[in-house]
């Protein structure tokens, strides 16, 4: 059965023991350097060499420690800057929250304005459509004349305007919260002639199409007119 191993905390540094080990190592190193009598003459040379090496190591150590200190100082400055940014962001979020709470009641206050705007849009649309209502009989008469005269492209333009007016009025009725069947019936009767005009124009177009081959040779303008009307309807 396997047992879980527990990690023991690291032992504290024993500086006295380390100093003794360093002295013992130094003694052994000196003993190796001075094994022969003639090596005593080089003691000063050894001392200078060791001093230079020690100075080089000290410089490297100071440079490394200074680099670490600079890194720690830079990190602390960045942490301080980040802390300041976090504080400012928190403050701004508090201001945004307060502003939102103060704006929220405006939704209720603006409901009346929204309703009034809806009424205004409906009135503006009604005023715009009144023009079409009053001019519809005249446009119907003019369209009939154009069809009888063979001016089908102009007739189709007037017919499209009538159909657009009718559709706009039907859409306005559809948007009303209380829809009246009487209004719908009145509107359909008022624009009943539009359907008749559409049928008349369609019959004229079929006549032209049936005479396509002859018309291409004799009156190509009629073919172009018919195709342009069909193109408009398809679009």
């Amino acid at each position: 059965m396997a047992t879980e191993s527990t990690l023991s905390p690291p032992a504290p540094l024993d500086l006295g023991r380390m100093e003794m080990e360093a002295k013992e190592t130094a003694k052994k190193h000196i003993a190796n350097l001075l094994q022969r009598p003639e090596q005593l003459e080089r003691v000063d040379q050894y001392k200078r060499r060791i001093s230079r090496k020690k100075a080089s190591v000290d410089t490297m150590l100071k440079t490394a420690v200074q680099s670490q200190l600079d890194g720690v100082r830079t990190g602390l400055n960045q942490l301080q800057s980040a802390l300041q940014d976090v504080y400012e962001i928190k403050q701004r979020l508090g201001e945004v929250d307060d502003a939102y709470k103060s704006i929220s009641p405006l939704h209720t206050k603006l409901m009346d304005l929204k309703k009034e705007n809806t009424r205004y849009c409906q009135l503006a649309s009604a005023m715009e459509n009144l023009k079409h209502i009053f001019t519809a009989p005249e446009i119907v008469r003019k369209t009939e004349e154009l069809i009888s005269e063979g001016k089908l492209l102009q007739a189709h333009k007037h017919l499209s305007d009538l159909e657009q007016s009718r559709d706009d009025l039907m859409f306005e009725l559809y948007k009303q919260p209380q829809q009246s069947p009487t209004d719908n019936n009145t509107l359909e009767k008022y624009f009943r002639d539009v359907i008749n005009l559409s049928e008349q124009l369609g019959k004229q177009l079929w006549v032209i199409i049936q005479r396509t081959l002859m018309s291409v040779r004799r009156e190509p303008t009629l073919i172009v007119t018919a195709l342009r009307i069909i193109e408009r309807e398809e679009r």
Side-chain angles (χ1 to χ4, degrees), residues 180-203:
S180 172
T182 303
D183 293 340
N184 292 333
N185 293 333
T186 301
L187 187 62
E188 289 179 1
K189 291 179 181 178
Y190 192 79
F191 284 94
R192 182 181 301 168
D193 292 336
V194 175
I195 299 176
N196 297 331
L197 288 175
S198 179
E199 292 176 353
Q200 292 179 30
L201 183 60
K203 291 178 181 179

Side-chain angles (χ1 to χ4, degrees), residues 111-157:
M111 285 300 297
D112 294 339
L113 179 61
K114 182 179 180 182
K115 293 178 181 178
E116 193 64 28
N117 180 66
T118 301
R119 295 193 192 98
Y120 175 79
C121 292
Q122 291 175 349
L123 178 60
S125 178
M127 293 295 293
E128 179 67 22
N129 289 319
L130 280 176
K131 175 180 63 177
H132 300 299
I133 293 175
F134 293 141
T135 58
E138 177 63 22
I139 297 177
V140 168
R141 186 188 62 78
K142 181 65 175 176
T143 305
E144 290 177 343
E145 292 179 358
L146 291 172
I147 293 175
S148 62
E149 294 172 1
K151 299 177 180 178
L152 303 183
L153 200 58
Q154 298 179 35
H156 181 260
K157 177 64 172 61

